Amino acid sequence: MSVDIYKMVGWFYDERGRLTYSMAGSRNGTDGTADCSGSVTQAIASAGGKAYNYLYSTVTIGAYLAANGFERIAVNQDWEPQFGDVVLMSWGKDMASSGGAGGHVGVMDSATNFISCDYWTGGQANTAVSEHDWNEYYNTEVANGLQYVEVWRYNASIQVKPTDVTPKVPQSGGVDQVLNIGEFFAPRKAYHVDVLTNGYNIDQVVSYDLANGGTSTEYDLYNNGLGVESVDKCDANGNITADQNLDVGDYFRLHSDRIEVVDVDPATNGVAFGTRYGNVWASAATLTEVK
């Protein structure tokens, strides 16, 4: 089994002008929407790569690259770009801290140009696939807080054995408290309002318990922030209050007691779910699997 990097890059050419950016749809273009990691996963699979077990995030796609004969050749350093190089980026200190939504991935379609499925046009219809001069793109994103870049290159001499296993999410088929994509969870009845701020032109609330299981006061607003329109103010027992004006120290609850899992990151016990503003990443520590 081998990957044809020309077909991999060609996947993006074929989809240009057809896809709209979304992390809540199919993610791989089958419904006309896609995101960065879903599109790269699909491009590799469509170019002869191993079948994927699920559409990986920027946190988990590295293992899929390795399983398909790609080698990581550069980490936060200059490199000589080649056609077909896969470039992973994080606005955190590494890919693990990107939380999925705080990262990006695409491919070099020449020694100077980078192509990917992104939010560059603000989500305008049929504009998700865009191509940029790599140096200009990199400098723009560094100015926007980009901290980390790693590069993977296909090596045809690597023997990918049929027994090689791509990363899997456990498939249970039952309520076993191992949350998988497509399964459902019930959140706590109430979460403490630890942070209330406006970010990305959206009033957002953060609970440390929901963001990281209450292990620290660290959070990433892009990944862990909930639009206040996606929650209800409540008391500590989960009873919705008449006054819906949130302040730090109050409590809130999510709109539903049965929420679908749209992505997972087993390495960090992270679970993503959809909201009207896009996907939010949460720690599975406070979530209970339900039918």
Side-chain angles (χ1 to χ4, degrees):
M1 181 177 293
S2 61
V3 175
D4 185 332
I5 61 173
Y6 293 94
K7 289 183 179 179
M8 177 185 72
V9 174
W11 186 92
F12 288 92
Y13 292 158
D14 291 342
E15 299 296 334
R16 188 158 42 188
R18 193 186 78 84
L19 298 180
T20 300
Y21 187 85
S22 174
M23 293 189 293
S26 68
R27 298 186 53 231
N28 67 347
T30 57
D31 66 350
T33 69
D35 65 13
C36 65
S37 54
S39 61
V40 171
T41 302
Q42 187 61 56
I44 292 172
S46 298
K50 299 171 75 95
Y52 48 82
N53 295 293
Y54 65 102
L55 290 169
Y56 307 108
S57 70
T58 54
V59 175
T60 58
I61 197 171
Y64 183 64
L65 292 171
N68 280 288
F70 287 81
E71 294 180 302
R72 191 168 63 176
I73 63 166
V75 175
N76 266 4
Q77 65 191 77
D78 291 336
W79 93 103
E80 295 295 329
Q82 292 184 11
F83 179 93
D85 285 352
V86 177
V87 185
L88 277 157
M89 292 163 266
S90 174
W91 278 253
K93 63 181 180 179
D94 53 28
M95 294 314 303
S97 61
S98 77
H104 189 55
V105 61
V107 301
M108 299 298 297
D109 63 336
S110 74
T112 58
N113 288 347
F114 173 77
I115 193 167
S116 68
C117 183
D118 61 31
Y119 199 67
W120 193 267
T121 64
Q124 294 180 27
N126 304 321
T127 64
V129 176
S130 64
E131 184 179 19
H132 305 272
D133 175 89
W134 166 251
N135 287 329
E136 293 179 2
Y137 182 92
Y138 174 77
N139 289 332
T140 297
E141 297 306 331
V142 167
N144 290 329
L146 179 66
Q147 298 183 46
Y148 178 90
V149 175
E150 64 181 47
V151 182
W152 293 72
R153 179 171 294 167
Y154 183 66
N155 184 344
S157 66
I158 295 178
Q159 297 297 313
V160 179
K161 301 177 182 179
T163 53
D164 285 349
V165 178
T166 50
K168 292 184 178 181
V169 175
Q171 298 299 315
S172 64
V175 178
D176 59 359
Q177 300 310 314
V178 178
L179 284 168
N180 306 305
I181 296 171
E183 294 182 338
F184 295 85
F185 68 84
R188 279 184 182 170
K189 291 183 177 181
Y191 289 96
H192 190 260
V193 177
D194 294 306
V195 178
L196 193 64
T197 187
N198 185 280
Y200 310 100
N201 296 316
I202 301 169
D203 290 330
Q204 300 194 54
V205 59
V206 175
S207 167
Y208 299 143
D209 282 348
L210 188 60
N212 57 50
T215 58
S216 75
T217 59
E218 294 184 3
Y219 68 93
D220 182 327
L221 189 63
Y222 186 88
N223 293 314
N224 308 130
L226 277 159
V228 296
E229 298 297 324
S230 297
V231 304
D232 294 308
K233 183 179 177 181
C234 64
D235 62 24
N237 295 315
N239 300 306
I240 296 176
T241 61
D243 174 16
Q244 286 294 301
N245 293 313
L246 279 172
D247 290 308
V248 172
D250 289 336
Y251 289 88
F252 70 88
R253 61 179 296 163
L254 302 184
H255 281 333
S256 175
D257 291 327
R258 184 176 183 268
I259 299 172
E260 183 174 4
V261 177
V262 299
D263 201 357
V264 295
D265 177 24
T268 62
N269 202 29
V271 170
F273 59 95
T275 74
R276 69 182 65 186
Y277 300 109
N279 288 354
V280 172
W281 282 87
S283 168
T286 67
L287 312 178
T288 302
E289 185 180 352
V290 295
K291 276 292 189 182

